[in-house]
Amino acid sequence: MQDGETHISGLRRTAVALTILSALGAGLGAEARAVAPRWMERLDRGVVAVPAKDGGVLVSWRLLGVDPANIAFDVYRGDTKLTAKPITAATDFVDPAGGADAAYSVRPVVGGRQQPADRPATVWKDGYLSIPLQRPEGGVTPDGVAYGYAANDASVGDLDGDGRYEIVLKWDPSNSKDNAFPGYTGPVILDAYTLEGKRLWRIDLGRNIRAGAHYTQFLVYDFDGDGRAEVVMRTSDGAIDGQGKAVGDAKADWRGSDGEVAQMDRTGAVTKADGTKVAPLAGRMLRGPEYLTVFDGRTGAALATAPYSPPRNPDTDTPTAEQQTALWGDGYANRSDRFLAGVAYLDGQRPSIVMARGYYARTTLAAWDWRGGKLTQRRLFDSAAPGVPEGFGGQGNHQLSVADVDADGRDEIVYGSMAIDDDGKGLWTAKLFHGDAMHVSDLDPSRPGLEKFGVHESPNKNGGVGAAMLDARTGQVLWTTPADKDVGRGLAMDIDPTHPGAEAWGSNLPELYDVKGQAIPGVQHPRQMNFGVWWDGDLLRELLDRNQISKWDWKTGTATPLLTAQGMSANNGTKATPTLSADILGDWREEVIWRTDDSSALRIYATPYPTSHRLVTLMHDPQYRLGVAWQNVAYNQPPHTSFFLGDGMKTPAKPNIRTR
């Protein structure tokens, strides 16, 4: 590896990769090992005003992680002060006389002195903010199939450094593919929009990046600490950045072609018209270079591009099907092109880029740093490398989670049924194999530390386990539920105040379980199991599924709709996930972003319910903020806090952060 160079030629040699593996963690000194404040975003108050549930206008704002404990707030409608004395009990206020044309501002009060207000907020008269979109034009693939575009997953980041989030949106072509299936797709396109609806830039990833849930995991985060977020993703030849410049060879076409191809069988082979079987290569990319590119969040310009790591083959850009099979378990990129991504504070202070490849068999994760205008690889984990213990391959999920599971101030990567320590070494493996959903948080506040709940796809391989609760620090299995087939979806969150901690449930599981694994008698679990959202005024989490938010009634075992977003669509088929759900404005409750049915606009919905609970914005809880960064990855999952957030919770510790 060339020290300090953006271009990392060592990725082309197995020997260099093994050298990296042998030196995992060796470069971190005592200074990096100290528990120090994390650098996080400087946010404004995020004031938002919506019609309140029972009349008037609900105004809410952020309590920041760096605010003094004695901070209070005055609320103004225009120039009129509405608060008789500064508010200390919560970070919201209902103005009974408020109308649709009002504008509100919030002024902090510290030590009896009033501070300046941030930007005022006008009322979202319909309870949501509409952001118009510019839908890309469709096209036609080489085999004559027409495609169009729908708005898909999004992330947020402060792209321009003003303390306010912008939205980065991925456009999904109508012919996007799961890895298991061959065929051409339209290119993946990403746009950046301000909350006022201005499009800042468009990135077109071009013909050499296939479209689908498992291919493009994009990260929006301030990686170099300059106060502005970058956008990072895998690219290839012909990608066009936000300034119209190509990455790599603009004319290259690395897509495979099968000619006349018929049906794929269960082994992944395709039967051609003449009866012969071949690997299904149409539209797939098994050859050609892959890159990791850092884009400027303000302009979309490509700032740096390096050979992508983990690579599909450390020796060549053009591996044969036999080489692919030897490395990953198949020769048609079903396993090698399963990508995951996340952000992790591996040194405890500054964020690193984590790019992952593979989870059904071989598992690889590379950590990168973006510092001072240079992109460098920090380390590489490979489950198949010499010296790596058995059991770290084949354990991955369709998503990952990032959390400080051992409470040392540095993050670990929970990768399905195993975890990687901050030093890049395997921390534990539970050998429960692959699953489609998992949740990491302080799910059981009666136990020290964090827990991990997951559902599993292979009970025939893991001893009949359909779902399991694990100690996130050690991987110890705390309890399991049996199953004889794939448990496809599952949730763990506090929805019932009569049982301490989170409740857990999943598809193909018969019961709703308490946090100790005991079935809750008298009720079946909610049919909703795709997402969760903190929405109303209490501390329980609500059910988010498709275009609806519902409240679980633990007395009757039924879900009552609180909001049905008419004219709005969820994403990703049966996963039915929102464009994004996160605490992006207002107090600690979460907003939900959906796309309109015709993808002409996004709408940000904010809660109309007042609350008496005062919590720091969830975006200043590092684990939650990192969860928002990886929310768009593969099979989207809701973000979780590093502390128990639910009925009977203790006051969380002040986050150990600093802002620019």
Side-chain angles (χ1 to χ4, degrees):
M1 188 188 308
Q2 298 173 4
D3 186 25
E5 292 292 328
T6 298
H7 215 73
I8 303 179
S9 60
L11 298 180
R12 298 293 180 261
R13 293 288 178 267
T14 303
V16 175
L18 296 180
T19 299
I20 297 170
L21 284 166
S22 67
L24 290 174
L28 293 180
E31 181 179 351
R33 289 296 187 187
V35 176
R38 298 186 181 211
W39 284 96
M40 296 193 69
E41 296 158 311
R42 180 189 63 83
L43 298 173
D44 67 12
R45 292 292 164 193
V47 181
V48 64
V50 297
K53 180 63 177 176
D54 296 321
V57 172
L58 174 66
V59 184
S60 73
W61 58 94
R62 293 186 182 110
L63 178 66
L64 303 174
V66 293
D67 281 335
N70 65 344
I71 194 170
F73 300 93
D74 282 326
V75 179
Y76 285 75
R77 185 198 321 123
D79 294 326
T80 302
K81 183 179 177 183
L82 301 178
T83 45
K85 60 180 181 179
I87 296 173
T88 58
T91 51
D92 67 354
F93 176 84
V94 175
D95 177 14
D101 297 328
Y104 294 88
S105 59
V106 174
R107 302 182 187 182
V109 179
V110 179
R113 295 188 176 184
Q114 193 178 80
Q115 311 296 313
D118 280 338
R119 58 175 63 86
T122 56
V123 178
W124 299 356
K125 63 179 181 179
D126 296 312
Y128 59 77
L129 176 68
S130 185
I131 300 175
L133 300 176
Q134 299 176 39
R135 183 163 55 179
E137 293 184 5
V140 179
T141 58
D143 55 356
V145 177
Y147 60 88
Y149 282 93
N152 190 248
D153 297 333
S155 193
V156 292
D158 182 5
L159 302 182
D160 56 12
D162 66 352
R164 198 179 195 209
Y165 286 126
E166 283 75 41
I167 297 172
V168 177
L169 172 71
K170 182 177 74 170
W171 290 96
D172 199 32
S174 55
N175 57 358
S176 63
K177 305 291 184 185
D178 184 272
N179 296 50
F181 300 101
Y184 296 98
T185 73
V188 178
I189 292 172
L190 287 93
D191 285 348
Y193 292 90
T194 68
L195 296 185
E196 292 77 24
K198 179 183 178 182
R199 196 184 81 184
L200 299 177
W201 46 257
R202 169 165 288 173
I203 295 170
D204 185 338
L205 293 183
R207 65 172 69 93
N208 293 312
I209 293 292
R210 207 164 187 244
H214 305 291
Y215 294 102
T216 298
Q217 326 300 350
F218 60 99
L219 301 176
V220 183
Y221 212 83
D222 179 9
F223 288 103
D224 60 2
D226 67 354
R228 300 184 298 271
E230 292 77 38
V231 181
V232 179
M233 69 193 93
R234 186 178 65 99
T235 63
S236 186
D237 285 340
I240 305 298
D241 75 5
Q243 298 299 299
K245 295 182 179 180
V247 174
D249 182 354
K251 297 180 180 180
D253 188 344
W254 297 105
R255 294 173 293 184
S257 176
D258 293 333
E260 189 177 2
V261 174
Q263 185 176 2
M264 182 173 65
D265 68 20
R266 293 182 65 186
T267 67
V270 166
T271 303
K272 298 180 70 173
D274 63 3
T276 61
K277 289 188 175 183
V278 298
L281 304 181
R284 298 181 184 275
M285 264 64 70
L286 280 81
R287 303 175 299 122
E290 299 173 293
Y291 308 119
L292 182 67
T293 300
V294 178
F295 296 93
D296 189 310
R298 296 167 297 177
T299 66
L303 298 175
T305 294
Y308 184 82
S309 179
R312 65 165 70 93
N313 187 303
D315 294 317
T316 177
D317 285 334
T318 57
T320 65
E322 290 76 14
Q323 288 174 317
Q324 284 282 98
T325 301
L327 285 170
W328 300 100
D330 67 59
Y332 60 100
N334 180 34
R335 289 169 174 79
S336 64
D337 279 13
R338 302 258 176 182
F339 299 96
L340 300 177
V343 181
Y345 287 75
L346 300 176
D347 66 3
Q349 300 174 59
R350 297 180 295 176
S352 294
I353 302 159
V354 177
M355 306 303 289
R357 181 179 216 131
Y359 42 76
Y360 286 143
R362 187 174 191 155
T363 297
T364 57
L365 297 88
W368 297 77
D369 291 334
W370 173 245
R371 309 275 191 263
K374 293 183 178 181
L375 181 61
T376 56
Q377 184 173 305
R378 175 181 281 262
R379 61 175 64 94
L380 173 68
F381 172 87
D382 186 343
S383 65
V388 175
E390 291 290 330
F392 283 91
Q395 306 300 318
N397 265 39
H398 286 301
Q399 69 283 139
L400 49 70
S401 186
V402 181
D404 178 11
V405 302
D406 54 10
D408 65 354
R410 302 178 300 278
D411 288 326
E412 284 70 47
I413 313 300
V414 182
Y415 204 82
S417 292
M418 61 96 158
I420 306 299
D421 207 348
D422 59 84
D423 63 2
K425 298 179 181 179
L427 181 63
W428 56 258
T429 176
K431 299 182 182 179
L432 295 173
F433 298 97
H434 172 72
D436 282 2
M438 68 173 181
H439 307 274
V440 178
S441 185
D442 187 4
L443 302 173
D444 184 353
S446 71
R447 296 184 71 258
L450 307 178
E451 291 76 36
K452 178 257 180 185
F453 175 78
V455 296
H456 300 282
E457 190 171 293
S458 304
N460 61 325
K461 295 170 61 177
N462 67 13
V465 174
M469 185 77 76
L470 276 60
D471 183 305
R473 181 179 65 86
T474 65
Q476 175 191 358
V477 177
L478 303 176
W479 55 265
T480 65
T481 63
D484 58 8
K485 57 183 177 180
D486 175 13
V487 181
R489 305 297 288 168
L491 277 174
M493 56 192 194
D494 190 14
I495 60 173
D496 182 346
T498 65
H499 296 269
E503 287 69 50
W505 68 103
S507 61
N508 300 330
L509 299 179
E511 309 285 356
L512 175 64
Y513 300 92
D514 68 18
V515 79
K516 300 297 185 183
Q518 300 299 310
I520 296 177
V523 298
Q524 293 184 336
H525 64 66
R527 64 173 179 80
Q528 300 91 341
M529 57 190 72
N530 283 325
F531 235 72
V533 58
W534 283 290
W535 183 255
D536 67 5
D538 63 28
L539 295 171
L540 301 175
R541 210 167 192 184
E542 281 64 61
L543 307 166
L544 172 55
D545 192 75
R546 301 188 183 277
N547 65 336
Q548 190 170 82
I549 297 171
S550 301
K551 183 73 172 178
W552 180 246
D553 186 335
W554 60 90
K555 298 175 183 177
T556 63
T558 58
T560 302
L562 301 180
L563 170 68
T564 301
Q566 300 293 342
M568 310 307 291
S569 291
N571 291 334
N572 305 314
T574 59
K575 309 305 181 291
T577 51
T579 298
L580 183 73
S581 181
D583 177 19
I584 59 176
L585 289 164
D587 62 26
W588 58 273
R589 271 87 57 80
E590 296 171 294
E591 287 68 50
V592 182
I593 306 178
W594 284 289
R595 61 179 172 93
T596 56
D597 292 339
D598 62 359
S599 289
S600 63
L602 299 177
R603 290 180 185 171
I604 306 176
Y605 287 78
T607 180
Y609 296 89
T611 183
S612 60
H613 301 286
R614 171 167 153 148
L615 295 173
V616 167
T617 175
L618 302 187
M619 294 299 245
H620 273 173
D621 174 54
Q623 181 177 326
Y624 181 92
R625 180 63 184 92
L626 299 181
V628 173
W630 56 246
Q631 186 179 140
N632 70 81
V633 169
Y635 291 177
N636 306 17
Q637 298 288 282
H640 292 278
T641 55
S642 64
F643 53 89
F644 174 67
L645 203 172
D647 187 76
M649 66 180 288
K650 297 179 180 179
T651 301
K654 186 179 178 67
N656 184 25
I657 65 171
R658 60 189 300 184
T659 60
R660 186 175 179 85

